[in-house]
Amino acid sequence: MPEPSVGVLGNLGVLPDGSALLPTLSERQYDVLKFVYTYAITNRDYPTGPEIAARFNISKQAVTPLLNTLVKKGYAYRDRQFLTRNLRLTEAALEKLRVEEGETPDLFTQP
């Protein structure tokens, strides 16, 4: 399934070099984004809500608002063809990680 268009990024504008502005994240939101990315690279699959909850020592119910924020800000989307492990990162998420961390392996290319 192709990545859906992310309307939120289109509304933010661009920087002088032409690159898109990226929505800000709280420290916790960024940590979750980074965990989802690292988990996906390591395990070749995305984490479940309970796995995210266990990693951050929070309730499963507390994971939902964190993931909803990542979706709302354009860093993730839910692939509804899957019942579990349906969270997917967007190109904007990879760009955010590149800006914050440096180079990142690309989740969108086939090995």
Side-chain angles (χ1 to χ4, degrees), residues 46-68:
Y46 286 88
T48 63
E51 290 167 333
I52 295 168
R55 166 61 181 82
F56 291 97
N57 197 28
I58 58 176
S59 70
K60 290 182 278 186
Q61 293 80 9
V63 170
T64 301
L66 282 168
L67 298 182
N68 287 345

Side-chain angles (χ1 to χ4, degrees), residues 12-29:
L12 290 175
V14 294
L15 295 170
D17 67 0
S19 59
L21 288 170
L22 298 171
T24 58
L25 295 173
S26 70
E27 186 175 341
R28 174 61 59 101
Q29 293 163 355

Side-chain angles (χ1 to χ4, degrees), residues 42-103:
T42 303
N43 297 289
R44 305 304 298 163
D45 202 356
Y46 286 88
T48 63
E51 290 167 333
I52 295 168
R55 166 61 181 82
F56 291 97
N57 197 28
I58 58 176
S59 70
K60 290 182 278 186
Q61 293 80 9
V63 170
T64 301
L66 282 168
L67 298 182
N68 287 345
T69 299
L70 293 179
V71 170
K72 182 179 177 183
K73 291 186 175 189
Y75 292 121
Y77 68 98
R78 288 187 172 82
D79 188 342
R80 298 293 182 190
Q81 70 180 340
F82 299 102
L83 294 176
T84 61
R85 300 184 191 277
N86 64 1
L87 187 74
R88 300 291 181 262
L89 296 180
T90 65
E91 291 280 355
L94 296 183
E95 181 63 20
K96 182 73 166 181
L97 290 165
R98 276 186 212 106
V99 167
E100 300 291 332
E101 305 286 329
E103 271 312 298

